[in-house]
Amino acid sequence: MNKYVKIMRPDHWIKQLFIVPGSVAAFLLTHKSMPDLFDMAGSFLLGFVSTCLIASANYSINEWLDADFDRFHPTKKKRAVVTEGVKGSVVWILWGCLSLLGFCSGFFVGKMFLIAVVWLWVMGLLYNVKPVRTKDIPILDVLSESLNNAIRLLLGWSIVSGNTLPPVSILLGYWMCGAFLMATKRFAEFRMIGDPDLAGHYRKSFKYYTEKSLLISAFFYALCAVFFTGIFLLKYRIELILFIPALMGLFCYYFYLSFKDDSAVQKPEKLYHEKTLMIYVFALCVLFIVLMLVPIPWLHWFITNEIITVGN
């Protein structure tokens, strides 16, 4: 039984906390009150459980369908599906049960949440199951997996505001943030394996990648993330322009981590072990709150000031 629990990857549930920014954004932008926040606590807990169940459903078929490829990975070859004789029939029953429980719990959160959680489930099928299996297609492997980031933002938003949609700019920004994380993860994995031929056996898309191309793509996604996030921040509060350089610093530090041996970038669920990164993220959260609460009048003049004529 323990081996079937392993393929559900409960240790990865921490990644579902990516729904939190969506809930925070909805709370701030739809002008909810503190009493509303306490009323939504139960819905948030149920929504988080639903998201974790659907994620585990996706993880279970991921491990089963990837077993033949994971044998070529230095660490994933130790997964339960590869080493402990897991039965395919049990995996698919487990997938079905997790999916059903995830849908049922999502139903009680709200219609919009249920639609988003079904979308998350469908992305798991497109990513893992033939004939589509987007994880085997270069570029699309990163973009399709990172789209789950935007879906998580939508999930968090719909818990708080089930009758509105988040701004497109923040959805695109969150998607590109996820793409940056996925591209650096690919880079760290490719670099750790150290053999392009072996890497291609582990992940088909690696046959078309190089360290250079993965770094360039990660840089592009980082630029896109800052661009779209910047549009969102400036649209809703001028003071948040000061948040953008700090966000750029976060991307730079994450790049640095991807070069470390056995980097935690390969396993995002373990990033909380990176104390410096966690301190930086906490500082970013504090900065965001301060900028949301404290007006800075001179910034309004700086942003809205027109061209000044200084002479002939």
Side-chain angles (χ1 to χ4, degrees):
M1 181 58 69
N2 186 50
K3 57 190 176 184
Y4 294 104
V5 173
K6 287 180 182 178
I7 68 173
M8 290 167 53
R9 302 186 197 171
D11 58 321
H12 286 229
W13 287 352
I14 191 171
K15 291 192 291 187
Q16 310 320 312
L17 289 176
F18 275 104
I19 70 174
V20 172
S23 294
V24 172
F27 183 79
L28 294 173
L29 297 180
T30 58
H31 307 292
K32 299 289 184 178
S33 63
M34 287 306 295
D36 292 325
L37 180 62
F38 293 117
D39 291 339
M40 290 181 296
S43 294
F44 181 86
L45 180 60
L46 191 59
F48 180 74
V49 169
S50 174
T51 306
C52 289
L53 289 169
I54 294 301
S56 284
N58 290 341
Y59 291 146
S60 62
I61 60 169
N62 176 284
E63 294 223 1
W64 173 250
L65 296 175
D66 278 7
D68 290 338
F69 304 102
D70 287 343
R71 300 177 194 278
F72 298 99
H73 192 278
T75 58
K76 291 182 180 180
K77 64 183 180 182
K78 299 176 183 178
R79 282 179 169 176
V81 173
V82 179
T83 63
E84 299 183 30
V86 171
K87 295 182 179 179
S89 57
V90 177
V91 172
W92 285 107
I93 291 172
L94 178 64
W95 170 79
C97 291
L98 290 168
S99 301
L100 183 60
L101 288 172
F103 295 151
C104 289
S105 52
F107 173 81
F108 290 104
V109 178
K111 180 180 178 180
M112 183 174 159
F113 182 91
L114 179 60
I115 292 172
V117 90
V118 169
W119 187 11
L120 184 67
W121 178 80
V122 169
M123 290 305 300
L125 293 177
L126 294 176
Y127 186 70
N128 291 292
V129 182
K130 293 179 178 180
V132 181
R133 197 169 161 84
T134 59
K135 73 186 308 174
D136 290 340
I137 305 171
I139 299 178
L140 191 57
D141 63 330
V142 169
L143 292 177
S144 61
E145 185 175 7
S146 60
L147 183 59
N148 292 339
N149 223 38
I151 297 173
R152 289 188 182 100
L153 182 102
L154 184 59
L155 287 166
W157 178 283
S158 62
I159 291 172
V160 175
S161 181
N163 58 353
T164 63
L165 290 171
V168 174
S169 55
I170 190 59
L171 280 174
L172 290 173
Y174 217 58
W175 182 10
M176 290 298 100
C177 282
F180 167 76
L181 296 178
M182 288 302 105
T184 50
K185 178 183 177 181
R186 297 282 188 272
F187 167 74
E189 277 188 320
F190 192 86
R191 185 170 177 271
M192 186 266 291
I193 294 172
D195 181 343
D197 185 60
L198 183 62
H201 283 85
Y202 156 63
R203 186 181 293 275
K204 287 186 178 181
S205 61
F206 276 170
K207 294 179 180 179
Y208 307 94
Y209 287 136
T210 63
E211 288 189 22
K212 183 183 293 186
S213 66
L214 286 167
L215 277 179
I216 292 172
S217 67
F219 181 65
F220 174 77
Y221 297 136
L223 291 174
C224 289
V226 172
F227 174 72
F228 289 119
T229 303
I231 291 174
F232 168 75
L233 295 177
L234 292 178
K235 182 178 179 180
Y236 290 97
R237 188 167 175 82
I238 293 297
E239 283 78 6
L240 290 174
I241 192 174
L242 299 179
F243 182 82
I244 296 175
L247 181 63
M248 294 176 179
L250 179 64
F251 284 126
C252 291
Y253 186 71
Y254 203 82
F255 257 133
Y256 163 74
L257 290 179
S258 69
F259 283 90
K260 294 175 67 175
D261 293 334
D262 195 25
S263 169
V265 169
Q266 298 178 56
K267 304 171 184 177
E269 69 280 0
K270 302 295 184 183
L271 282 171
Y272 63 89
H273 291 304
E274 293 286 345
K275 293 182 180 180
T276 303
L277 179 65
M278 293 299 100
I279 292 171
Y280 195 109
V281 170
F282 177 77
L284 274 181
C285 294
V286 172
L287 176 62
F288 182 85
I289 293 170
V290 170
L291 293 174
M292 284 294 296
L293 298 176
V294 179
I296 306 176
W298 66 265
L299 268 179
H300 293 260
W301 174 86
F302 179 77
I303 296 297
T304 59
N305 189 32
E306 297 181 355
I307 296 173
I308 300 173
T309 301
V310 294
N312 294 326

